[in-house]
């Protein structure tokens, strides 16, 4: 309907960057001399990778989702309050968190598509609303506790010969990644990619552009809630646990070669971008570089990746907003 949608041409570069970083880690720290070190890295990176996959759906369709970091924080705080350390509450609370994430995504998508408010503004507003609601509910100090069975998803694992203990979070990540790849290879995924490339052509061909964009936001919210479950198990309860994750997710997606403005990108490359980002921060930590520089490094990566993409597409293609029916001339 719009020609063949363009998958990411940036998959090979980000995989090369990831390989270099993994090799550098092996030289920088003795912990990476064994498979356990890399499994620990993957365990730490899993929440960000899951977030990046969700962000990928929105970005590739031509939008942004800035609400995911606050959604992660809200999910962790809600889980601790409702579970209160009781294993019997684990499963229904997880189901509630996933439903809550999907609902936030649905609201973001409907406001973007039906009221024609740019997704950047809608999700920035959602970020502020969620942050305010969490602070109002907790007073800055979350109450309650997570149950051992809930935390097992983020910090537990099972033994595998040679590899050692494989985290459950890695299994969850592989399932999510496989599902995302299959989705994008299907008709709905290809049409979603086409929406980001040329939504007018998709509409003229009879495609349900608004429904697809709403679906992208719902998937992003759903995966943000899943990331909250994984991150809570790994890092514990905090009113700031998700702070800044929305920008890390966008940086990871861009590092993976996904075009801001939509129409081009690979879900595998987006996941590799998130893992590369986590590997880079781990390497900087091993080299003694202050953690305060993480934001500066992240900003430089974002600018450089967008500038590199603009070389082949032109600034008009990169900067065109979606969901407003207009384009920057």
């Amino acid at each position: 309907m719009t020609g063949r949608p363009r998958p990411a041409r940036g998959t090979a570069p980000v995989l090369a960057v990831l390989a270099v970083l993994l090799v550098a880690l092996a030289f920088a720290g003795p912990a990476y001399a064994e498979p356990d070190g890399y499994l620990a890295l993957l365990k730490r990176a899993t929440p960000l990778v899951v977030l990046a996959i969700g962000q990928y759906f929105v970005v590739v369709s031509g939008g942004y989702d800035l609400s995911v970091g606050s959604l992660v924080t809200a999910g962790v705080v809600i889980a601790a309050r409702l579970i209160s350390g009781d294993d019997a509450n684990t499963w229904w609370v997880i189901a509630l968190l996933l439903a809550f994430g999907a609902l936030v995504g649905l609201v973001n998508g409907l406001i973007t598509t039906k009221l024609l408010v740019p997704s950047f503004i809608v999700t920035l507003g959602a970020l502020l609303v969620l942050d305010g609601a969490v602070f109002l509910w907790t007073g800055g100090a979350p109450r309650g506790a997570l149950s051992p069975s809930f935390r097992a998803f983020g910090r537990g694992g099972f033994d595998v010969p040679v590899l050692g203990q494989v985290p459950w979070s890695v299994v969850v990540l592989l399932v999510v990644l496989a599902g995302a790849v299959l989705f994008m290879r299907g008709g709905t995924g290809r049409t979603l990619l086409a929406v980001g490339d040329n939504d007018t052509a998709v509409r003229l061909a009879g495609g349900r552009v608004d429904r697809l964009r709403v679906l992208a936001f719902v998937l992003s919210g759903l995966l943000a809630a899943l990331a909250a479950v994984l991150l809570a198990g790994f890092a514990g309860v905090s009113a700031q646990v998700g702070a800044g994750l929305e920008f890390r997710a966008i940086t990871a997606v861009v590092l993976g070669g996904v075009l801001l403005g939509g129409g081009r990108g690979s879900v595998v490359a987006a996941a590799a971008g998130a893992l590369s980002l986590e590997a880079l921060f781990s390497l900087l930590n091993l080299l003694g570089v202050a953690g305060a520089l993480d934001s500066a490094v992240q900003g430089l990566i974002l600018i450089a990746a967008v500038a590199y993409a603009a070389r082949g597409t032109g600034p008009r293609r990169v900067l065109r907003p979606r969901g407003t029916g207009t384009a920057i001339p």
Side-chain angles (χ1 to χ4, degrees):
M1 62 184 62
T2 61
R4 178 179 291 273
R6 293 169 294 174
R9 290 171 285 185
T11 304
V14 72
L15 291 178
V17 168
L18 177 58
V20 170
L21 289 171
L22 294 179
V23 172
L25 282 171
F27 286 99
Y32 295 94
E34 300 290 337
D36 284 349
Y38 290 104
L39 285 174
L41 170 66
L42 193 55
K43 182 179 180 179
R44 292 195 304 273
T46 291
L48 178 59
V49 178
V50 170
L51 270 183
I53 293 173
Q55 190 72 237
Y56 163 83
F57 291 124
V58 177
V59 172
V60 84
S61 67
Y64 303 91
D65 191 351
L66 298 182
S67 67
V68 293
S70 295
L71 185 52
V72 167
T73 299
V76 172
V77 169
I78 291 171
R81 185 71 174 273
L82 296 181
I83 290 176
S84 295
D86 187 353
D87 275 325
N89 295 329
T90 296
W91 287 104
W92 73 263
V93 169
I94 289 177
L96 178 65
L97 292 183
L98 295 177
F100 177 67
L103 177 62
V104 172
L106 177 63
V107 172
N108 287 338
L110 289 175
I111 295 176
T112 299
T113 57
K114 301 305 180 183
L115 300 183
L116 301 182
V117 181
S119 60
F120 183 90
I121 301 299
V122 174
T123 56
L124 178 60
L127 179 154
L128 297 174
V129 169
L130 289 169
D131 276 350
V134 167
F135 183 80
L136 182 65
W137 194 29
T138 65
R143 286 169 284 177
L146 300 172
S147 62
S149 58
F150 187 96
R151 299 205 69 174
F153 290 102
R155 62 169 46 185
F158 57 96
D159 292 328
V160 173
V162 181
L163 292 179
Q165 189 180 68
V166 176
W168 286 113
S169 58
V170 174
V171 177
V172 173
L173 172 60
L174 292 176
V175 171
V176 170
L177 183 58
V181 169
L182 291 174
F183 173 79
M184 291 306 297
R185 287 183 177 178
T188 303
R190 291 197 300 268
T191 307
L192 184 68
L193 198 64
V195 165
D197 186 43
N198 192 329
D199 56 354
T200 301
V202 175
R203 279 195 175 94
L204 292 174
R208 299 178 181 271
V209 172
D210 289 351
R211 287 191 181 184
L212 287 169
R213 286 199 171 125
V214 170
L215 175 62
F217 279 103
V218 170
L219 291 174
S220 179
L222 185 65
L223 291 180
L226 179 59
V229 174
L230 299 175
L231 189 58
F234 178 75
V237 181
S238 167
Q240 300 295 324
V241 68
L245 284 179
E246 62 278 350
F247 297 112
R248 284 201 177 192
I250 292 175
T251 303
V253 167
V254 172
L255 181 60
V258 180
L259 185 67
L260 291 181
R264 194 186 79 198
S266 161
V267 67
V268 173
L275 185 55
S276 297
L277 202 59
E278 189 64 37
L280 175 61
F281 291 147
S282 297
L283 179 61
L284 292 177
N285 184 56
L286 288 173
L287 296 177
V289 178
L293 291 178
D294 285 359
S295 294
V297 172
Q298 189 173 303
L300 290 173
I301 291 173
L302 185 59
I303 293 171
V306 173
Y308 176 79
R311 291 177 57 196
T313 59
R316 177 186 177 92
R317 182 68 188 91
V318 174
L319 297 176
R320 184 172 57 185
R322 300 291 184 178
T324 62
T326 60
I328 295 176

